[in-house]
Amino acid sequence: MAKKKIFISYDYDNDKHYKNLLLAWDKNSEFDFGFSDQSADVSIQSTDAAAIKRAISAKINAATYFLCIVGEKTSKSSWVSWEIEKAKELNKKLVAVKTSSGDITPSELLNSGASWAMSFTFDAIKKAIDEA
């Protein structure tokens, strides 16, 4: 069975450790997690952002699935919002998982048809991806 190509969207400053956990799970032959380890230190509206957006767009386009890690501050991230919109524009299968039940869902994920993992566990995320 071919590995699933998954782009991981996350709040770089606050949720990198969750992304790293996913990459540890990448050792499992069922997944091929793809991600862009770009810092959001540059404003998404700045002129420097154009090259970053092109690189991220290519990575999202190369993936079949778009997995958004929703942490405490994700809903305030312009980068994550932009990545979600790009994934929707490219017709990617959307999957999301909250790091805590109280985390606010980014508005771009609302009514998007995303498949949700009910907890941040390998089995829950795998099930959400399989159902996407």
Side-chain angles (χ1 to χ4, degrees), residues 117-130:
M118 294 297 113
S119 61
F120 200 95
T121 64
F122 178 85
D123 289 337
I125 294 170
K126 179 185 181 313
K127 180 179 179 197
I129 290 168
D130 288 344

Side-chain angles (χ1 to χ4, degrees), residues 58-119:
K59 290 181 181 193
I60 293 171
N61 194 43
T64 306
Y65 298 85
F66 178 91
L67 173 61
C68 184
I69 299 171
V70 179
E72 182 180 354
K73 298 182 181 179
T74 304
S75 65
K76 295 178 175 26
S77 170
S78 296
W79 281 106
V80 172
S81 294
W82 179 84
E83 289 171 350
I84 295 167
E85 288 298 332
K86 180 56 69 173
K88 291 183 341 187
E89 175 186 318
L90 295 171
N91 296 313
K92 298 302 166 183
K93 295 176 183 176
L94 302 177
V95 180
V97 60
K98 289 186 176 187
T99 61
S100 176
S101 62
D103 295 335
I104 298 170
T105 301
S107 61
E108 296 79 11
L109 280 176
L110 298 174
N111 301 312
S112 67
S115 176
W116 283 85
M118 294 297 113
S119 61

Side-chain angles (χ1 to χ4, degrees), residues 10-54:
Y10 62 100
D11 179 347
Y12 181 87
D13 293 326
N14 298 291
D15 297 321
K16 190 165 39 170
H17 56 287
Y18 289 102
K19 182 265 310 183
N20 289 336
L21 179 56
L22 291 174
L23 295 180
W25 291 340
D26 188 38
K27 304 297 182 218
N28 185 304
S29 63
E30 293 183 50
F31 294 117
D32 184 12
F33 287 107
F35 66 98
S36 177
D37 205 0
Q38 301 284 343
S39 173
D41 292 341
V42 178
S43 169
I44 198 163
Q45 283 77 30
S46 79
T47 56
D48 296 280
I52 295 171
K53 285 182 176 182
R54 281 192 299 277

